[in-house]
Amino acid sequence: MLSTFPLLPAASAVTARVRHAEPVMGTVVSFDVPAAAVVGGSLEAAVRWLHWVDRIFSPYRPDSDVSLLAAAEVTVDGCAPEVAEVISACTAVRLCSGGYFTAAPGGVFDPSGYVKGWAVERAAAILSAAGSTSHLVNGGGDVQCVGGRPRTALGLSAASSSGTSSGLAAGSSSGLPAGPSAGLSGEEPWRVGIADPFHRGRLALVVEAAGSAVATSGIAERGAHIIDPRLGQPATGLASLTVVGPSLALADAYATAAFAMGPARARDWAESLPGYEAYAITENGDTWQTAGFAPHIAPA
């Protein structure tokens, strides 16, 4: 049984919010959902999906499809159909990025750079299919938002994105107040904190998101771990790169590819991505953003 706790203990089952944190895929995936997702079983279904993804795609499990495929012990036809789906998606991003995104870092098949965002986005879709129009799924700092956050459940309304496997405050709200851009409707944007890559525990900025995804690649927690596949060495020039757009699977993959490119090439490439915007912090502490990113920045 899922262990959850409501945001509003006195609220009715219809309007109450529930948070749940699930250790899975080597990180913590946190949910902020209507209580109806618990009663109706969609939260449990989303959690089961994530554990299934872990069994199939984990490069750390010797019996996973990914590990068996990497060891040439099976063919793609012998894997779950979703493996072929992921390979196809990784190929598309590799071609789109000019080879800066790869499903085989270091020459070994490992599509983790795409799988986490894809899995979290699909978990959010499971909740949507069950009728939820307002929820957030945070996969270790990479966030898929559906709708906005109901004003009746506000007070604490933030997730956090650090571009790491653990996140700045994964599984909990970082307590950022709602900004003045919120209207008088029943919802406000979710507020997603982007970790400062140079000062642990601080935020570089806060992004507002409603019906969209936020993903960050960077050095905040794991150091220089993103490989430039063309050089076979850790990418240099950037400290953090955040991408905002409709799909977390693509936002996460785009952030990884752009980080691997370095500052100059990443900026031009990010500007070319339809429907996606980017914000970068360089190794020197300078920042830049694509032309359409400004509306996503939460007011101070």
Side-chain angles (χ1 to χ4, degrees):
M1 179 178 293
L2 295 176
S3 175
T4 61
F5 61 95
L7 297 185
L8 295 178
S12 71
V14 175
T15 60
R17 306 292 299 181
V18 169
R19 290 201 188 114
H20 173 73
E22 184 73 17
V24 63
M25 300 191 299
T27 185
V28 174
V29 177
S30 58
F31 297 80
D32 186 326
V33 300
V38 178
V39 176
S42 59
L43 176 58
E44 186 171 359
V47 168
R48 285 200 306 269
W49 156 256
L50 293 173
H51 282 283
W52 181 87
V53 170
D54 198 18
R55 289 195 299 273
I56 297 298
F57 288 94
S58 173
Y60 304 106
R61 299 173 64 122
D63 60 342
S64 74
D65 285 10
V66 161
S67 294
L68 295 174
L69 188 59
E73 295 183 24
V74 297
T75 65
V76 174
D77 290 341
C79 298
E82 288 80 0
V83 174
E85 175 187 342
V86 165
I87 290 174
S88 178
C90 289
T91 299
V93 179
R94 177 177 60 82
L95 295 173
C96 171
S97 65
Y100 280 97
F101 181 85
T102 178
V108 178
F109 178 62
D110 177 4
S112 300
Y114 181 85
V115 166
K116 185 180 74 168
W118 168 78
V120 169
E121 181 180 342
R122 190 70 61 89
I126 290 171
L127 296 164
S128 294
S132 173
T133 59
S134 170
H135 52 271
L136 176 148
V137 187
N138 178 349
D142 294 328
V143 180
Q144 182 75 55
C145 307
V146 173
R149 182 171 174 78
R151 292 177 61 86
T152 55
L154 286 173
L156 296 177
S157 58
S160 63
S161 179
S162 62
T164 71
S165 60
S166 60
L168 182 63
S172 67
S173 167
S174 48
L176 298 170
S181 67
L184 298 178
S185 66
E187 293 184 349
E188 294 190 352
W190 301 92
R191 291 164 64 82
V192 181
I194 307 302
D196 185 329
F198 305 115
H199 301 95
R200 189 178 180 88
R202 297 184 188 177
L203 296 180
L205 78 159
V206 178
V207 172
E208 289 189 335
S212 58
V214 183
T216 300
S217 291
I219 63 171
E221 297 287 340
R222 296 172 59 191
H225 67 285
I226 297 173
I227 301 299
D228 177 346
R230 292 192 169 189
L231 300 177
Q233 298 176 353
T236 60
L238 289 170
S240 174
L241 193 138
T242 296
V243 174
V244 178
S247 163
L248 182 57
L250 288 179
D252 195 10
Y254 288 162
T256 299
F259 192 96
M261 292 177 185
R265 185 177 283 107
R267 186 169 191 171
D268 291 341
W269 183 68
E271 288 282 8
S272 74
L273 298 173
Y276 291 82
E277 303 294 340
Y279 179 94
I281 304 173
T282 71
E283 288 181 339
N284 298 325
D286 297 327
T287 65
W288 56 257
Q289 63 195 52
T290 54
F293 190 85
H296 297 285
I297 300 176

